[in-house]
Structure formats: structure tokens, C-alpha cells
Amino acid sequence: MNSLPLLTLMMVVPVLGAVVVAALPAGSARLARPVALGASVVTLALAVAAWVAFDSGSDQMFQLTETHSWIPQFGVSYALGVDGIALSLIVMAAILTPVCLLAAWNDVDESEPGRVKRYFALMLVLEAFMVGVFAATDVFLFYVFFEAMLIPVYFLIGLFGGERRQYAAMKFLLFSLAGGLVMLVAVIAVYFVGPGGSDGFLVEKLMGNLDGSEAALRWMFVGFFFAFAVKAPMWPVHTWLPDAATASRPATAVLLVGVLDKVGTYGMIRFCLQLFPEASQWATPVVITLAVISVLYGALLAIGQTDMMRLIAFTSISHFGFIVLGIFAMTSVGGAGSTLYMVNHGFSTAGLFLIAGFLVARHGSKRIPDYGGWQRVTPVLAGTFLIAGLSSLALPGLSSFVSEFLVLQGTFQRYKVAAVIAALGIVLAALYILLMYQRVMTGPKPSFPEGEAPPRDLSHREKWVVAPIIASFVVLGFYPKPVLDLVNPAVDRTLQIVGVTDPATAEASGSAQ
């Protein structure tokens, strides 16, 4: 199994699926959906095989590695590999992609076969790039995937989105390109201060081998961090997200917010902390401050939203604040919690966006005031929406609670004031989720035009979409150990690279002396 290039296959399969979908004749366009779904299921099977082949007890930094010279003159390699953090995010993406394809089954009218093929082909190409960006262990290759992801997302929003889709797509592209260009300067600088050679961009070779001045390394850190803060998204470079998520199809919004934005927080661990340990500690007070602002800012703005999709987008800004807080708390508990939060947030956001999308498809409006009493008409939809909301607000027993608790506990070990202030985000989360549910689902039974049948509840296909998401809430809420066992060694290794220890450990060693 280890000799099989699983990571490459996880990119090749969706790309081949996209080619087949795009090449289907117009008369067979209805096959685009099952072909795309089949390709994503095969990719999921490969991701499960990678999970089984991964040895969480190994001392290797990366496993399932593949390294081939690509541009030797510039030291660029086609190098893939995963640690526990990268693998958990790849598996999450592999689970969410078929779920999103199934949810998007009727997003494009069959009377436009060309659009159907383009839509599902772009989704598969996006999946391939998502795997690549998490698996790349060459800094330049990572940058290529980082920028390549923009192409399918831009077209998925601009061609298939709702109102103001072109504005939202262009804003997303401009923000992302700005961050990417700044990072490119830092990537080039890394090569010049690194060991050089034919594999001078390999992450493992760069760690601890950047021979630059303190000021230069700090500027390189800023270049990487700025790009990742835009992608994450963090305040104040977050403004593209509400527009992009609101204009997108629900399935696109899930992959954008639930998976692609994790590239930002993943990049902070893989590149900011591991390549620039001193600069990371230097920047930590500012990053912690920005993270706390993001937690409160996103939550407060979510409370005031009247657009359902926009509200969900602002909740993610708050949640990403928690993730960044756990990363830069630089404790083993906080790091494990933030990594688990990345996975849990992917599933909870998927639940909110997709179930809200089912609701909007029935009523034709995203405005919260246009609803009320829908639990009397669609009880199963209302129940699943409530569970997704409770997971998002971190109800004990559901997945997000574990990760949020670990983040706050880990942060409190080192930054007590920041942890206490960020904990207010939990109270605000209860407000924006429960108020949204109350306004949309509770109240008297809504009236519909005479002669018009009331909206149907969730169909069998929609229940298949929702079932794995709800299952993830419960399983990871009561038994997060498999994911934590996977990510803990990578978190501990990152702290060793940065050169920090848990405060309790440091105090114990000091008292022993």
C-alpha cells in the first residue's frame, strides 16, 4: 500500500473525472452528475486508504511521500507528503466533496447541458487542487496549488452564483491574488536565504536552515502570514468572504468556507510557525489580538444580519478567529484544539450552508424575515437545521464543543485575558444561531397562496446529504480520539520546531531545578 502514490492518485482521479464529464456529448449531459459523484467516491476511498496506511506513531515528519525533480534549475520539486494535520484536512475534503456534489444535483437546469458539465467538472478540478495544496511539501509547489484553486472557484461563483455573482467573484479573486502576490515575494526570498540546490524549496530542508537576518525573516513571515490571513479569513482582510459566500451556490460555499479557507490556517502552521519560529513568537501578540477581534467582530455582525447565507458567513469569521487563537497560543492543547476545530468547522459549516440552501430552494428567498413557522411545514428540515446550528454554537455533546473547549483551555494556559475575552464568542454564538432558528422555524404555520401545495420536507437525496454531516457532529462530539491521535504528534513536533513548551511543563521543570 505504501508504494502506491495515493496522494497523486487523489488528484489524478478527480481530474480524469472532470475530463470525462467535460467530454460527454450534449445528449449524455445527464451522466455528468453520476460520473462526477463516482469520481469523488473513488477519491474518498483513496483518502480512507491513506488514513489506514498512515502510521501516527512514526517519527517521520511526512509520510506517503513522493518526490520528483520538477524544475531543478530553481530547486523546485514535485514533492508530496502528509503529516496528521494535512491528512485530516484531506480526508475532510474527500468526504465533503461527494456530499456537495449530491447536494448540488439540481443546481443547474438540465435544459442547459453545457452548463451542467462545466459545473460538475469545475467541482472535481477544485477537489484535485484541494488535495494538492494540503499535500505539497515543496514551498513553490504549494504556491502553485494555492493560486490554482482560484480558477475553479472564480468560475463557480461568477458563472453559477446568484445575485451580484460577478462582483463577488472578482472581489474574491482580487483579494486572493493580492495575498498570493505578497506570498510569492516571500517564497522567492526563502529560496535565496535557504540552503539552495536542486531541492531548495523542500519544507524539511528549509526548517532551521534559513540563513537570513532577523529583520529579513520577519518580513518573510509577514508575507506568508498576510496571504494566509486573507485566505483564513481574518479581520480586517475578511470582507471578500460574506460577498462570495452569499453569491455562491450552497455547495460552492461549503467547499470555499469549509475547505479552501482552511488553507489559510493550515499554512500558518506549516509555513509561518515551522519556517519562521522566531518571527512567529515575535508576531504572536499582534496575531492573538487580531484573532480575538475576529471572534467578537464576526459574531456581532452575524447577529445583525437579515440574509441567512451572509449570517453563516460571518459566523465563520468568528470561528476562524478561534482557530488562529489556538494556533498562536503555542500550547499542545491549543494546537490540537485548533486543528480539530478546522475539521469540525468544515462539517458544521457544511450543515448550515447546505440545509439553509435546501430551505432557500423551497421558498426562493435568503431573507430571514421572509420565513417563520417552517418547522410546522418541514419538520425534518427544521430538526436537521437545529442540530447543525447547535453544533456551530458548540453545544456539549456535539463536535465543535470539544475543539472550542481545547482552544480556550490551551489559550488560557498562556494568554488568560485573551481566552476570557474570546469566551464571549460562545455567548454571542448562542444568540446568532438561536435567534436565526427562532425567526425562521418557530411561530404560527405560514400561509401559502391558495391552490399552491406547501413545500415538501427533505427528499431522500437530501437526507443522504445531511446524514453523514449529522453523524460527524455526534461521532466527533463523543469520540474525537481518532482525529486527535492523528494530529497530536504533528502539533507536538511543531511546538518543538518553534522552541516552546507548555507553561505547566516549563513551570514543573523550573521547580525541579
Side-chain angles (χ1 to χ4, degrees), residues 268-344:
M268 292 178 190
I269 299 172
R270 174 68 68 238
F271 300 101
C272 291
L273 266 62
Q274 295 184 354
L275 295 187
F276 310 101
E278 186 279 332
S280 297
Q281 295 187 58
W282 162 75
T284 290
V286 174
V287 177
I288 291 288
T289 302
L290 294 176
V292 172
I293 292 173
S294 294
V295 168
L296 301 180
Y297 176 87
L300 287 170
L301 263 67
I303 293 173
Q305 299 303 311
T306 58
D307 184 298
M308 203 179 310
M309 297 299 189
R310 199 170 183 87
L311 186 153
I312 298 170
F314 274 110
T315 69
S316 291
I317 294 172
S318 181
H319 292 151
F320 273 102
F322 278 112
I323 295 171
V324 176
L325 188 65
I327 292 171
F328 279 85
M330 295 191 188
T331 60
S332 57
V333 174
S338 64
T339 305
L340 181 62
Y341 210 142
M342 290 188 226
V343 176
N344 290 336

Side-chain angles (χ1 to χ4, degrees), residues 237-413:
V237 288
H238 67 283
T239 59
W240 63 268
L241 178 66
D243 293 315
T246 303
S248 299
R249 297 280 186 176
T252 303
V254 169
L255 295 180
L256 174 62
V257 182
V259 183
L260 263 70
D261 287 355
K262 302 301 188 308
V263 175
T265 47
Y266 168 78
M268 292 178 190
I269 299 172
R270 174 68 68 238
F271 300 101
C272 291
L273 266 62
Q274 295 184 354
L275 295 187
F276 310 101
E278 186 279 332
S280 297
Q281 295 187 58
W282 162 75
T284 290
V286 174
V287 177
I288 291 288
T289 302
L290 294 176
V292 172
I293 292 173
S294 294
V295 168
L296 301 180
Y297 176 87
L300 287 170
L301 263 67
I303 293 173
Q305 299 303 311
T306 58
D307 184 298
M308 203 179 310
M309 297 299 189
R310 199 170 183 87
L311 186 153
I312 298 170
F314 274 110
T315 69
S316 291
I317 294 172
S318 181
H319 292 151
F320 273 102
F322 278 112
I323 295 171
V324 176
L325 188 65
I327 292 171
F328 279 85
M330 295 191 188
T331 60
S332 57
V333 174
S338 64
T339 305
L340 181 62
Y341 210 142
M342 290 188 226
V343 176
N344 290 336
H345 175 264
F347 290 118
S348 63
T349 298
L352 286 174
F353 270 122
L354 294 180
I355 298 171
F358 295 154
L359 188 65
V360 171
R362 283 159 171 76
H363 197 48
S365 173
K366 297 177 183 178
R367 295 188 69 253
I368 294 173
D370 293 342
Y371 292 85
W374 273 63
Q375 67 181 8
R376 299 176 183 273
V377 182
T378 55
V380 177
L381 190 155
T384 54
F385 192 54
L386 178 60
I387 295 172
L390 293 176
S391 176
S392 183
L393 65 81
L395 182 76
L398 297 179
S399 56
S400 295
F401 170 76
V402 181
S403 45
E404 204 160 280
F405 179 82
L406 291 175
V407 164
L408 291 174
Q409 180 188 2
T411 304
F412 191 80
Q413 291 177 0

